[in-house]
Amino acid sequence: DAAIISYQLQQEALFPLLARTYALNFGLNYIKDKWVEINGGKQTFEKIANETEVLILCCVIKALLTWHAERVASICRERCGGQGYLSCNRLGSLIGNSHATITAEGDNSVLMQKVTKELLTLFQHEDASSSWTWTSTFNLKNFGNFDWNSATPEMFLEIFKYRLATDLKELSEDLSQTMATGGSIFDAWMHHLSNKIQHCARAYGEVILLSSFILNFKLKFQVETKEMLLATVRLYALSQIRDDVLWFTTHGILGNSDVSLLDKAWSASVKNLEKFAVDLTEALGVINTMTPIAEDWAHFNKDNNQGELLQQFRSRL
């Protein structure tokens, strides 16, 4: 029989999640390093500015990580069929835990409001220490000749930065207009601009993830490892643009033909990750989870065990 992971249905559901998992891990490691930087030495003006940046980073990564955990748990449960229901395979507990983390230590959407609020303050004051985040060389006029299949991670990053800069500019203008007409900032923020606020914070988070991913290419890897990481980052970037296609079309960046080419490039990128998927998963250290679905599932299903753990599994938990 063909391995179930060879089917397009499984690959297009799971491989983008795997690619995003790597982006989130690189982003989290980057933020941990930033945290370490500010927790040592004397208090300086630069250190205080970095503390604000780390506050924003911690808020955004918490939300992105826990939302992703819920999606991974739910989609993997579905794609594992009936095996996903069994408590011994632990996907059910992961779904419950992920929902708890979405709300615990700060509701994710509320944290994202905090992210956007702080970003607007930096943006409006043109904070030089953070200007790299929203400075983009992306040129909309030249985008008609954009080749999704040959685009480098750095090219994708410029698109991500352009999206963030556009969001911040539009929000800033909306709030300025509200103040100019005597309107309430609170009313605009809470009742009229919620979608833009959430989108802006997510756009910032994706810039951080992709930037962190690119930083890792500067490390000395074997050629095979670099090829694997390149395939992963390409799928991550294409997935983010594809998932946000409404924004890119309404802002005049993508037309109908562009969306079609994007979708084809995304499908090809998913297929290209097939040869790396097992190695990428093993590298995360989650294969040996002592569950039947991850180990000898054939032996587990040999007899009618009513969905219970066999002694060989039970003794290892």
Side-chain angles (χ1 to χ4, degrees):
D1 292 340
I4 193 172
I5 200 62
S6 67
Y7 298 137
Q8 184 182 30
L9 175 66
Q10 302 292 102
Q11 292 183 359
E12 295 195 349
L14 299 177
F15 289 178
L17 296 177
L18 180 59
R20 182 164 180 77
T21 298
Y22 268 83
L24 284 161
N25 270 278
F26 287 135
L28 179 60
N29 289 337
Y30 168 78
I31 294 169
K32 287 178 181 178
D33 290 340
K34 283 288 185 180
W35 174 267
V36 171
E37 286 178 13
I38 69 167
N39 280 280
K42 295 187 296 183
Q43 193 80 341
T44 62
F45 178 79
E46 182 180 358
K47 186 175 178 182
I48 294 173
N50 288 338
E51 287 176 351
T52 301
E53 180 187 4
V54 170
L55 171 65
I56 301 171
L57 290 171
C58 288
C59 287
V60 76
I61 198 66
K62 186 270 183 183
L64 295 181
L65 275 170
T66 53
W67 273 326
H68 180 66
E70 184 279 323
R71 286 290 77 205
V72 170
S74 295
I75 293 174
C76 284
R77 206 295 309 153
E78 181 183 359
R79 296 273 50 86
C80 288
Q83 284 284 341
Y85 285 116
L86 298 182
S87 60
C88 60
N89 285 323
R90 301 185 177 181
L91 288 172
S93 61
L94 290 176
I95 292 173
N97 290 339
S98 66
H99 276 274
T101 58
I102 286 171
T103 301
E105 302 298 332
D107 176 85
N108 282 1
S109 294
V110 175
L111 287 177
M112 295 300 249
Q113 288 191 344
K114 172 70 173 174
V115 170
T116 299
K117 177 180 178 295
E118 297 294 341
L119 286 175
L120 281 171
T121 300
L122 293 173
F123 181 73
Q124 291 167 348
H125 289 84
E126 298 182 351
D127 190 319
S129 66
S130 300
S131 61
W132 66 269
T133 304
W134 42 71
T135 301
S136 172
T137 59
F138 177 75
N139 189 338
L140 185 60
K141 293 181 180 178
N142 297 333
F143 194 68
N145 299 320
F146 193 80
D147 184 358
W148 296 108
N149 294 305
S150 63
T152 65
E154 290 77 13
M155 291 178 182
F156 284 119
L157 181 59
E158 293 307 314
I159 296 174
F160 280 30
K161 287 182 177 181
Y162 177 83
R163 176 176 58 179
L164 173 59
T166 303
D167 277 356
L168 285 166
K169 181 180 178 182
E170 290 180 355
L171 263 175
S172 183
E173 291 173 350
D174 288 340
L175 293 171
S176 295
Q177 181 65 24
T178 297
M179 294 176 64
T181 56
S184 165
I185 294 295
F186 177 83
D187 182 64
W189 190 269
M190 299 302 293
H191 298 289
H192 302 290
L193 299 174
S194 182
N195 289 339
K196 285 188 176 183
I197 291 166
Q198 295 294 316
H199 188 275
C200 181
R202 284 178 178 264
Y204 171 75
E206 303 306 337
V207 167
I208 296 300
L209 298 189
L210 185 52
S211 299
S212 303
F213 215 138
I214 291 173
L215 283 175
N216 281 272
F217 280 105
K218 296 180 181 179
L219 302 176
K220 291 183 178 180
F221 290 115
Q222 293 181 343
V223 174
E224 296 82 0
T225 303
K226 285 220 170 190
E227 182 187 0
M228 183 163 55
L229 288 175
L230 180 60
T232 307
V233 71
R234 277 185 50 78
L235 178 55
Y236 158 70
L238 285 167
S239 295
Q240 293 313 302
I241 297 173
R242 184 175 181 269
D243 290 345
D244 203 16
V245 71
L246 177 62
W247 188 92
F248 286 101
T249 53
T250 55
H251 282 77
I253 299 172
L254 295 178
N256 291 337
S257 58
D258 298 315
V259 172
S260 178
L261 292 173
L262 167 65
D263 196 57
K264 290 178 180 178
W266 176 82
S267 293
S269 187
V270 169
K271 189 64 179 175
N272 186 47
L273 205 69
E274 181 180 8
K275 57 181 176 289
F276 303 121
V278 173
D279 288 336
L280 286 167
T281 305
E282 289 180 346
L284 292 172
V286 296
I287 286 291
N288 187 19
T289 55
M290 298 182 295
T291 60
I293 200 170
E295 295 189 343
D296 195 348
W297 52 269
H299 186 55
F300 177 79
N301 288 310
K302 185 175 65 174
D303 302 308
N304 183 10
N305 49 49
Q306 305 298 317
E308 295 294 328
L309 284 177
L310 297 175
Q311 187 60 39
Q312 69 184 84
F313 292 107
R314 189 182 297 117
S315 62
R316 296 177 59 184
L317 294 178

